């Protein structure tokens, strides 16, 4: 069976450094930090008092006020970034076979705010179970693609993927496979997350996973820096419209890039810590390269997982050197989490957009907040510190790794007819 080619025809983003794709991309290229003191709640008693929040976002600017109240923030984010992507793609669903267009969406946690609010209200009450009838429909992970499909009348494959921080990359890989196997013409894919609430921040603080650089939030996310002290939570959404090539050409779509491969693996090591030798990271990159039919010499840029944790950054850099050998030293590597923070289940989609735009525009966004080299990270690696770098980017790879040892990686290349 001949596999079909899959291209990117629409992008949408709602991030801590920009509420549209152009704003997000401009923020990346200019090294803007999205980290600031938390405004969602009073965080003064928390170990970490800052995060990368989406800014200047009012759901009623995009959604009916009454309907918005029925949606958890992670669904609001999903609908907003998807609207941008649909408009960007130029898709006219009235003239397309919507039975063959689906939605595959990723989220690591889903409706945490809804769960927190409903359970808190019950605990404060007299024991009478007075729950909002929208409690469960607002909270469940699969409701995001459900709402997207309802809005646009899409009856193709529709489900959510959950793999912690690798969730939306897994969604992209599933969408890629459905299209290239001929089971769909196009799929709206991506991911969203909203965990900057008391339960989310408290939970990650209890794990000692977060930076506590409360005196200097803007520089707290420091991937590969010697003085990194944990990741910075982020929130938002990224939408990527994937389409079968001939379907896209038939409607005259613009094409950003071609998705040519995806890989998955497991660390099988620990519930939160990466394998110290990066075994899962090595395997997932090799699997993606094999699926794409490429060698290490073909990759120009890797948007790494790079969360700014002590163990994670070291193991991923070791894995790159192990897999790529001498080719590792001609790569550009960067962690855009230094600017957006860690969007958890949405990270893969938002970072894939950065990789796609690097391929489209031949420029690599930087890893900001680098001050001191870590002697345990190979100094010959070009980690694109602090300033964006122009170069020919024919092929870009994007890595995402999640708690539980879940690893996923996707590869995009310049579109050639």
């Amino acid at each position: 069976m001949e596999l079909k080619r899959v291209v990117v025809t629409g992008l949408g983003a709602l991030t801590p450094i920009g509420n549209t794709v152009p704003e997000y991309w401009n923020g990346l290229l200019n090294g803007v930090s999205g980290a600031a003191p938390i405004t969602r709640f009073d965080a003064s008693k928390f170990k970490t008092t800052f995060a990368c929040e989406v800014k200047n976002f009012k759901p009623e600017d995009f959604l009916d006020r009454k309907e918005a109240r029925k949606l958890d923030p992670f669904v609001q984010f999903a609908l907003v970034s998807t609207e941008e992507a649909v408009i960007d793609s130029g898709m006219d669903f009235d003239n397309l076979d919507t039975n063959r267009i689906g939605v595959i969406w990723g989220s690591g946690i889903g409706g945490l705010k809804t769960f927190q609010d409903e359970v808190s209200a019950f605990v404060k009450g007299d024991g009478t179970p007075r729950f909002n009838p929208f409690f469960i429909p607002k909270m469940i992970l699969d409701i995001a693609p459900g709402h997207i499909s309802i809005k646009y009348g899409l009856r193709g494959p529709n489900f959510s993927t959950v793999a912690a921080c690798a969730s939306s990359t897994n969604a992209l890989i599933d969408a890629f496979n459905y299209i290239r196997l001929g089971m769909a013409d196009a799929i709206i894919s991506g991911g969203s997350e909203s965990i900057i609430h008391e339960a989310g921040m408290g939970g990650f603080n209890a794990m000692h996973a977060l930076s506590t650089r409360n005196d200097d939030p803007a520089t707290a996310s420091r991937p590969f820096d010697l003085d990194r002290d944990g990741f910075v939570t982020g929130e938002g959404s990224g939408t990527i419209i994937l389409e079968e090539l001939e379907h896209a050409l038939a409607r005259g779509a613009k094409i950003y890039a071609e998705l040519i491969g995806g890989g998955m693996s497991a660390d099988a090591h620990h519930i939160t810590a990466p394998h110290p030798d990066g075994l899962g990271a090595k395997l997932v990159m090799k699997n993606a390269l094999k699926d794409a039919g490429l060698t290490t010499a073909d990759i120009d840029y890797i948007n790494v997982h790079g969360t700014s944790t002590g163990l994670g950054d070291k193991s991923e850099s070791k894995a790159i050197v192990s897999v790529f050998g001498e080719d590792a030293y001609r790569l550009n590597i960067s962690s855009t989490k230094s600017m957006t923070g860690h969007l958890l289940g949405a990270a893969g989609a938002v970072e894939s957009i950065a990789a796609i735009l690097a391929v489209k525009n031949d420029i690599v966004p930087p890893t900001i907040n680098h001050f001191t080299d870590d002697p345990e990270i190979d100094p010959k690696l070009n980690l694109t510190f602090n300033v964006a770098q122009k170069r020919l980017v024919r092929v870009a790879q994007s890595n995402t790794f999640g708690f539980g040892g879940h690893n996923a990686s996707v590869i995009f290349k310049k579109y050639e007819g």
Side-chain angles (χ1 to χ4, degrees):
M1 177 182 177
E2 184 177 352
L3 296 176
K4 298 179 182 295
R5 293 172 68 183
V6 180
V7 293
V8 176
T9 58
L11 299 175
L14 180 62
T15 79
I17 60 170
N19 293 3
T20 65
V21 169
E23 290 177 3
Y24 165 56
W25 182 236
N26 185 64
L28 289 179
L29 296 186
N30 286 284
V32 174
S33 172
I38 289 170
T39 64
R40 295 276 186 274
F41 63 94
D42 180 4
S44 58
K45 294 182 180 180
F46 284 67
K47 293 177 183 177
T48 298
T49 62
F50 63 93
C52 288
E53 296 176 328
V54 168
K55 300 162 186 68
N56 303 314
F57 174 75
K58 297 179 180 178
E60 57 269 22
D61 289 344
F62 304 91
L63 306 164
D64 176 80
R65 186 184 299 269
K66 185 180 292 186
E67 290 302 310
R69 289 201 297 267
K70 301 175 185 177
L71 306 173
D72 187 87
F74 96 102
V75 180
Q76 296 173 358
F77 292 167
L79 287 168
V80 170
S81 69
T82 296
E83 182 176 8
E84 182 187 10
V86 169
I87 293 170
D88 182 48
S89 74
M91 279 190 167
D92 179 1
F93 295 120
D94 290 337
N95 293 310
L96 297 173
D97 183 358
T98 52
N99 291 333
R100 290 185 53 80
I101 301 176
V103 187
I104 301 178
W105 201 257
S107 185
I109 298 176
L112 183 63
K113 178 68 162 61
T114 296
F115 184 81
Q116 172 187 292
D117 290 350
E118 291 293 326
V119 173
S120 294
F122 174 72
V123 170
K124 292 174 183 176
D126 62 3
T128 303
R130 297 186 180 93
F131 289 93
N132 189 313
F134 291 100
F135 174 26
I136 300 301
K138 282 178 69 175
M139 182 191 73
I140 53 178
L141 282 153
D142 66 302
I143 205 66
H147 275 291
I148 293 169
S149 68
I150 290 166
K151 179 175 180 178
Y152 298 106
L154 308 179
R155 297 180 177 83
N158 188 284
F159 58 90
S160 283
T161 56
V162 185
C165 306
S167 295
S168 55
T169 304
N170 275 277
L172 291 170
I173 293 171
D174 279 359
F176 174 51
N177 286 330
Y178 272 84
I179 295 169
R180 66 175 173 169
L181 289 170
M183 300 171 70
D185 293 331
I187 291 181
I188 294 173
S189 191
S192 57
E193 203 80 89
S194 173
I195 62 93
I196 304 175
H197 312 293
E198 292 91 337
M201 294 300 296
F204 281 114
N205 265 152
M207 296 172 64
H208 303 287
L210 301 184
S211 169
T212 56
R213 203 178 298 275
N214 296 315
D215 59 336
D216 191 10
T219 70
S221 185
R222 302 184 178 192
F224 306 107
D225 189 86
L226 176 64
D227 297 319
R228 63 194 181 276
D229 71 328
F231 74 81
V232 178
T233 50
E235 63 179 1
S237 181
T239 302
I240 298 174
I241 295 183
L242 298 177
E243 195 167 350
E244 192 271 321
L245 175 60
E246 295 304 321
H247 187 270
L249 293 175
R251 65 179 190 85
K254 72 173 179 292
I255 296 173
Y256 283 97
E258 184 172 358
L259 175 54
I260 59 170
M264 295 173 282
S265 75
D267 278 3
H269 171 67
H270 188 270
I271 59 170
T272 57
H275 193 285
D277 296 324
L279 294 186
K282 294 177 193 176
L283 182 58
V284 78
M285 287 187 283
K286 289 179 179 178
N287 288 344
L289 287 165
K290 182 179 179 180
D291 188 48
L294 299 181
T295 69
T296 55
D298 296 312
I299 305 296
D300 298 301
Y301 167 49
I302 302 177
N303 187 301
V304 291
H305 188 57
T307 58
S308 185
T309 60
L311 293 176
D313 293 355
K314 284 189 289 188
S315 66
E316 187 172 11
S317 63
K318 287 179 182 178
I320 290 171
V321 173
S322 176
V323 171
F324 284 79
E326 287 301 312
D327 288 327
Y329 304 122
R330 54 160 204 82
L331 291 167
N332 269 82
I333 299 164
S334 72
S335 170
T336 48
K337 288 185 180 72
S338 59
M339 294 171 275
T340 65
H342 192 352
L343 273 67
L344 306 176
V350 170
E351 290 159 18
S352 287
I353 291 172
I356 290 163
L357 293 175
V359 168
K360 181 71 173 174
N361 297 294
D362 290 319
I363 186 167
V364 174
T367 305
I368 68 166
N369 298 329
H370 181 73
F371 304 98
T372 308
D373 290 343
D374 182 342
E376 293 191 61
I377 292 174
D378 193 326
K380 293 188 292 181
L381 292 173
N382 181 2
L383 295 164
T384 321
F385 285 134
N386 297 323
V387 179
Q389 295 180 14
K390 293 182 178 180
R391 65 165 292 168
L392 177 64
V393 184
R394 296 159 299 180
V395 184
Q397 186 162 10
S398 181
N399 292 340
T400 44
F401 312 143
F403 285 170
H406 310 294
N407 307 304
S409 183
V410 284
I411 298 176
F412 301 91
K413 72 182 291 289
K414 284 191 185 296
Y415 168 67
E416 298 171 354

